[in-house]
Amino acid sequence: MSKEIMSQAGQRTDAMLKRNGLSITDSRKKILQLFLEQTGALAHGDIERKAAEKFDRVTVYRTLQTFVDKGIIHTIPTADNSIRYALCKDECSEGHHHDHHVHFVCTTCHITYCLDDVVTPELKLPKGYTPDHIEVVAEGTCKNCK
Amino acid sequence: MSKEIMSQAGQRTDAMLKRNGLSITDSRKKILQLFLEQTGALAHGDIERKAAEKFDRVTVYRTLQTFVDKGIIHTIPTADNSIRYALCKDECSEGHHHDHHVHFVCTTCHITYCLDDVVTPELKLPKGYTPDHIEVVAEGTCKNCK
DNA sequence: GTAACTGCAAAATATTTGCATCCTT
DNA sequence: AAGGATGCAAATATTTTGCAGTTAC
């Protein structure tokens, strides 16, 4: 690929990919770049749309899966059955995500935010239930839409 | 349909349907019955399986949607992109669910529980974010699998 | 050069829609 | 009888898989 175009932006994506032992390819760089430029989370469909019909749908599926496996992005389940993906703020180790922050879905603009500073609260569960991970998703109106 | 078969079980399902202004039909009664007999939540696929190939796939989709709309069941989003449905404990008014309880997904037996007694905690969100609804899903090992 | 990644085709799944028929009220 | 619910067929949409060609290292 053209080396000039990706000059600056490429630095960061390359480093992230390399750090995770992934080979540096066009599609991975571009998809990762989308996440870096993005405020909120991205759904599969958003990526296909934003990428301006650049690469195959299958590549997007595989790339997202790879990123999740490596702990570069994490998934955010929402009620409308459309999984969103967002960058993990701190690097997550492979196969082990530990972003214990809260997610916020704006019902007006439909942006999904990672509220990195809001830590998931402690929960008192009934005897016998041992949680490994707690997911909190708040739904409402974001600061730009109120 | 045969009046005898549904004698006892039918009482409760009939009442629930009637209370929500729904006509009482075979498939609605049977699907509702599945939820009443069930510990955890059910995914669309579970229902088709449990119902012993009784009714059309499309009917299941439509029935679940109707129940959600009426506030008879609520959805539980999970990370694996498969929405589960569970009975609303207290009746939810139409179009307005207010079960503020926590959900627990067992990673061993894959049962999804509604922990009706665990109330979703208060959250301190950044200025400007106004939540309407907060969803908490804990993942781990349930009391039967530990 | 080799292993890994991509794109294409196609299969497998999942979901939605239209319409004729049947059932509930 | 009338409106709503169901079942079937089919259209859409989504996700997965196999494989051959291409690319990164």
Side-chain angles (χ1 to χ4, degrees), chain A residues 74-123:
Chain A
H74 61 275
T75 60
I76 306 164
T78 50
D80 64 339
N81 211 356
S82 70
I83 287 193
R84 310 290 166 78
Y85 300 86
L87 279 179
C88 292
K89 193 182 184 187
D90 311 305
E91 289 285 308
C92 296
S93 52
E94 181 157 351
H96 212 86
H97 290 280
H98 39 78
D99 358 78
H100 292 323
H101 61 270
V102 168
H103 293 112
F104 190 95
V105 181
C106 178
T107 48
T108 304
C109 65
H110 297 103
I111 289 179
T112 301
Y113 300 88
C114 289
L115 304 180
D116 293 301
D117 300 327
V118 184
V119 175
T120 69
E122 285 296 315
L123 278 186

Side-chain angles (χ1 to χ4, degrees), chain B residues 23 25 27-28 55-56 58-59 62 81:
Chain B
S23 42
T25 68
S27 44
R28 285 177 179 167
F55 19 62
D56 198 90
V58 177
T59 301
R62 290 195 273 224
N81 212 354

Side-chain angles (χ1 to χ4, degrees), chain B:
Chain B
M1 78 177 300
S2 147
K3 267 143 191 130
E4 307 85 50
I5 295 172
M6 286 273 125
S7 57
Q8 261 203 342
Q11 298 301 324
R12 187 150 173 216
T13 51
D14 286 14
M16 291 179 73
L17 291 171
K18 189 166 291 182
R19 194 175 336 138
N20 285 284
L22 294 173
S23 42
I24 295 165
T25 68
D26 234 43
S27 44
R28 285 177 179 167
K29 287 171 76 150
K30 284 185 187 153
I31 290 175
L32 197 45
Q33 188 58 36
L34 284 180
F35 279 107
L36 289 168
E37 293 164 354
Q38 184 66 18
T39 308
L42 293 169
H44 176 97
D46 297 327
I47 292 168
E48 286 194 82
R49 236 165 289 125
K50 294 206 171 236
E53 59 223 305
K54 266 293 180 188
F55 19 62
D56 198 90
R57 174 179 294 243
V58 177
T59 301
V60 177
Y61 279 112
R62 290 195 273 224
T63 303
L64 289 174
Q65 189 53 58
T66 303
F67 285 179
V68 170
D69 291 345
K70 290 294 181 178
I72 299 173
I73 60 177
H74 61 275
T75 60
I76 307 165
T78 50
D80 65 338
N81 212 354
S82 71
I83 287 192
R84 310 290 165 80
Y85 300 86
L87 279 179
C88 291
K89 194 181 183 186
D90 310 306
E91 288 285 306
C92 295
S93 52
E94 182 158 351
H96 212 84
H97 289 281
H98 39 78
D99 358 79
H100 293 323
H101 61 269
V102 168
H103 293 112
F104 189 95
V105 181
C106 178
T107 48
T108 303
C109 65
H110 298 102
I111 290 180
T112 300
Y113 300 88
C114 290
L115 304 180
D116 294 300
D117 300 327
V118 183
V119 175
T120 69
E122 285 297 315
L123 278 186
K124 240 193 138 56
L125 296 181
K127 222 175 164 50
Y129 291 87
T130 316
D132 295 330
H133 173 73
I134 294 173
E135 182 75 41
V136 180
V137 181
E139 221 176 58
T141 313
C142 78
K143 60 180 192 302
N144 299 319
C145 293
K146 66 173 178 185

